[in-house]
Amino acid sequence: MFGRRGKDNQDGAGRADPVRAPATVHANPPGGSPGNSAEPPSGRQASASDPRQAPATGPLPGDGSTGKAAASKASEPAKTESARPEPGKSEPPQTSRRSEEYYDTKTAIFSALIDAIDLSQLAKMDAESARDEIRDIVNEIISLKNVIMSIAEQEELLDDICNDVLGYGPLEPLLARDDIADIMVNGSDNVYIEVSGKIEPTHVRFRDNSQLLNICQRIVSQIGRRVDESSPICDARLPDGSRVNVIVPPLSIDGPSLTIRKFKKDKLTLEQMVDFGTISPEGATILEIIGRSRCNVVISGGTGSGKTTLLNCLTRYIDGDERVITCEDAAELQLQQPHVVRLETRPPNLEGEGEVTMRELVRNCLRMRPERIIVGEVRGPEAFDLLQAMNTGHDGSMGTLHANSPREALSRVEGMITMGGFNLPPRTIREMITSSIDVIVQAARLRDGSRRITHVTEVMGTEGEVITLQDLFVYDILGEDANGRIIGRHRSTGIARPAFWERARYFNEEKRLAAALDAAEVHDDNGMEVFGT
């Protein structure tokens, strides 16, 4: 038997029911919808005196005994009609605002479901079967308690409860939307999303902070981590690679805070980034050649500027016969090559032991016969080991870091090496940087929410104590349109033979590189090449 606790029930024919049986059967209430049929969905009946089949049949908030739900629901179609977008205009799906009465009804039905279902048996079923089973039981509970609601409202309630039991609760509709880049939960009542580079509030809410904390624990436990008062900060990931950060009380004062950086189901490509205006077609060609030519690349940018997305795009041009090893705090890179080894750091356990840092992973990579090493985000002393790897035969290695310009990126690398306790003269560190990093790609999120690749910059060498850089490709901001959208252009800086020209020629890419650089040049009305903004 699965479903309800206790002994197997018998159906009307006297056969043992392998699933579960409803309690009493009530007549369809006056004004009830087709979704509130008196017969349970499974067509089984059971004795009302059987105490094992218990959900209580007392009134629920919003059921037929109050009459409030029917009145409030009757006004819903009008609201839906008025909120419908104008013909010819498409809008992303919005999460509807729900009343307190809806949440009270949902809480009562959810409590009855937990009393009626055997969770240990539910865990043994596959997701689809478990969802069907929960829907059947909830339908029966709704019938038994004479809850009046339309078929659409009943389906909405069924989905919510299934998500609470099997998924991520109120987050499921947001996770299903492909236009959302970030989900930010600030306590149980405040949920924000980022759409098209802009942050906006939603009507999504959790039952209370306990439900939010349970969902946070469900997410992090999937990768063997935990979050509680003794370990209140945790980085994790969803099965699709979306990055998750959780911080809970006592550090988070107003309740658990959950941040999810979502990735699109269809992975972005450089061609799609060209369509979005993130880079020009010529710039995409240059980036493709940089990836194919095994240049050592650092992708720099601020929070939410698209560094990881760009890194995923560049890895598409790694040959399928190369052995690639990735190191990340929370595994989110999605390489398509067949020979990839993915490594992930590990936080300390309750006793403060067992921690595996990023530096230990990068150092271990050198003993794994890699051809390329890719570090998801460089933020500490592992910068020294990554530079060592780039400079010792692991050409084509890549990494990302937070910085606002290519020169700041190099300063941050130097600072991270110094923070690691390496007693090296500044000149030695800078020479190591120039001999290791070939190209810096700078990404930025502009004030209108759009993302642009603003610089493709070469690291040339040192002059005295200063590292010399050479911009190969830049983005000029020209103004904005009537809607506040920034107008700009990508252009070549007029460099005909970049420093990695010989490397491109080694991979037979020099003709494409020359053509892309020539096509990206911008000229004024007199035909003179433009070098400034």
Side-chain angles (χ1 to χ4, degrees):
M1 169 219 165
F2 166 76
R4 305 190 180 278
R5 301 189 181 101
K7 301 177 182 178
D8 290 345
N9 297 309
Q10 303 290 327
D11 64 8
R15 292 178 283 105
D17 183 357
V19 184
R20 77 273 173 273
T24 58
V25 178
H26 289 252
N28 201 32
S33 67
N36 295 329
S37 172
E39 291 294 329
S42 58
R44 294 185 293 273
Q45 296 185 1
S47 171
S49 61
D50 189 344
R52 294 177 284 106
Q53 309 175 31
T57 58
L60 282 176
D63 68 6
S65 64
T66 64
K68 295 179 181 178
S72 66
K73 307 307 179 191
S75 64
E76 290 294 336
K79 294 179 183 178
T80 305
E81 188 69 29
S82 63
R84 193 169 297 163
E86 298 178 13
K89 293 185 179 180
S90 61
E91 295 183 359
Q94 299 293 326
T95 306
S96 61
R97 185 185 298 276
R98 294 164 179 170
S99 65
E100 291 294 331
E101 193 172 9
Y102 172 87
Y103 288 103
D104 291 342
T105 302
K106 175 185 168 184
T107 300
I109 292 177
F110 184 83
S111 299
L113 171 68
I114 296 302
D115 290 339
I117 200 168
D118 188 342
L119 295 177
S120 63
Q121 293 294 325
L122 186 72
K124 299 177 182 178
M125 302 182 71
D126 62 83
E128 193 63 33
S129 299
R131 184 172 288 268
D132 291 340
E133 182 64 23
I134 291 173
R135 291 174 67 90
D136 287 346
I137 298 176
V138 172
N139 274 322
E140 293 168 3
I141 293 173
I142 291 174
S143 298
L144 294 174
K145 293 182 177 293
N146 296 335
V147 180
I148 298 176
M149 57 177 60
S150 68
I151 294 178
E153 293 161 347
Q154 186 169 333
E155 283 296 317
E156 188 176 10
L157 180 66
L158 288 169
D159 287 339
D160 279 358
I161 292 179
C162 287
N163 291 337
D164 286 347
V165 177
L166 302 174
Y168 302 127
L171 296 177
E172 286 288 347
L174 301 180
L175 292 171
R177 286 178 53 179
D178 208 31
D179 61 324
I180 295 178
D182 286 272
I183 301 172
M184 294 149 281
V185 183
N186 309 332
S188 60
D189 293 329
N190 298 303
V191 180
Y192 294 83
I193 58 176
E194 181 190 311
V195 179
S196 301
K198 295 291 186 179
I199 295 177
E200 57 188 53
T202 70
H203 300 315
V204 173
R205 53 165 285 192
F206 293 80
R207 183 172 62 250
D208 49 36
N209 282 331
S210 296
Q211 183 194 19
L212 174 56
L213 180 58
N214 287 336
I215 290 175
C216 292
Q217 291 170 336
R218 185 180 302 173
I219 291 173
V220 304
S221 64
Q222 292 178 332
I223 62 169
R225 299 184 180 182
R226 62 186 179 83
V227 59
D228 50 34
E229 287 189 5
S230 61
S231 179
I233 300 177
C234 184
D235 288 318
R237 67 178 186 277
L238 296 180
D240 65 353
S242 297
R243 185 169 66 228
V244 177
N245 176 266
V246 179
I247 180 167
V248 302
L251 302 187
S252 179
I253 297 173
D254 299 321
S257 177
L258 171 67
T259 308
I260 300 175
R261 173 67 53 81
K262 279 180 79 273
F263 292 112
K264 290 182 177 293
K265 295 180 177 65
D266 298 326
K267 305 302 178 287
L268 277 179
T269 63
L270 279 179
E271 291 77 12
Q272 291 173 310
M273 295 179 78
V274 169
D275 295 337
F276 295 149
T278 303
I279 189 68
S280 67
E282 298 80 16
T285 301
I286 293 172
L287 291 179
E288 177 185 343
I289 293 171
I290 288 172
R292 291 190 186 279
S293 302
R294 301 193 65 169
C295 294
N296 294 324
V297 180
V298 169
I299 299 175
S300 167
T303 300
S305 58
K307 299 184 298 298
T308 303
T309 300
L310 180 56
L311 183 57
N312 271 323
C313 290
L314 289 182
T315 58
R316 292 185 66 237
Y317 303 106
I318 297 176
D319 291 338
D321 59 351
E322 295 185 44
R323 176 175 170 86
V324 183
I325 301 180
T326 67
C327 303
E328 303 172 82
D329 283 316
E332 53 186 329
L333 293 175
Q334 298 165 332
L335 277 67
Q336 306 302 315
Q337 286 73 18
H339 198 168
V340 176
V341 180
R342 304 171 70 205
L343 306 180
E344 187 177 58
T345 60
R346 186 176 69 184
N349 58 20
L350 281 172
E351 292 76 26
E353 300 175 349
E355 181 181 16
V356 179
T357 65
M358 180 67 76
R359 188 177 180 206
E360 291 173 312
L361 288 185
V362 175
R363 290 172 66 183
N364 187 74
C365 283
L366 302 178
R367 297 188 287 269
M368 296 176 66
R369 205 264 179 208
E371 291 185 281
R372 297 201 197 208
I373 297 175
I374 298 178
V375 179
E377 184 172 339
V378 182
R379 53 172 68 136
E382 66 272 7
F384 178 81
D385 300 283
L386 179 61
L387 293 183
Q388 292 282 71
M390 288 179 170
N391 201 22
T392 54
H394 304 94
D395 294 338
S397 296
M398 303 178 185
T400 71
L401 58 82
H402 283 81
N404 295 323
S405 69
R407 186 160 296 281
E408 285 186 27
L410 297 183
S411 298
R412 285 215 64 208
V413 171
E414 185 176 346
M416 286 185 283
I417 293 175
T418 304
M419 289 167 55
F422 301 100
N423 190 18
L424 297 174
R427 185 183 183 92
T428 303
I429 295 177
R430 289 165 190 163
E431 288 177 352
M432 181 187 302
I433 290 173
T434 58
S435 62
S436 302
I437 301 175
D438 296 315
V439 176
I440 300 172
V441 181
Q442 182 71 34
R445 183 172 63 173
L446 307 182
R447 56 184 170 83
D448 64 349
S450 62
R451 293 172 171 86
R452 296 289 184 266
I453 294 174
T454 59
H455 293 79
V456 178
T457 303
E458 291 186 289
V459 180
M460 303 297 293
T462 58
E463 289 185 3
E465 298 291 328
V466 180
I467 298 176
T468 58
L469 302 178
Q470 175 176 272
D471 288 336
L472 195 64
F473 206 80
V474 296
Y475 179 74
D476 296 332
I477 296 178
L478 304 178
E480 62 179 53
D481 61 16
N483 298 320
R485 303 287 293 179
I486 290 179
I487 301 173
R489 67 185 178 195
H490 288 93
R491 63 174 178 83
S492 166
T493 58
I495 303 299
R497 292 174 67 93
F500 63 90
W501 177 271
E502 291 301 322
R503 187 186 292 270
R505 191 168 77 172
Y506 178 73
F507 287 91
N508 296 318
E509 295 283 359
E510 76 278 8
K511 292 182 180 178
R512 292 180 64 213
L513 177 59
L517 290 172
D518 185 59
E521 291 179 358
V522 176
H523 298 84
D524 60 18
D525 295 338
N526 298 321
M528 300 297 293
E529 187 176 347
V530 176
F531 294 101
T533 58

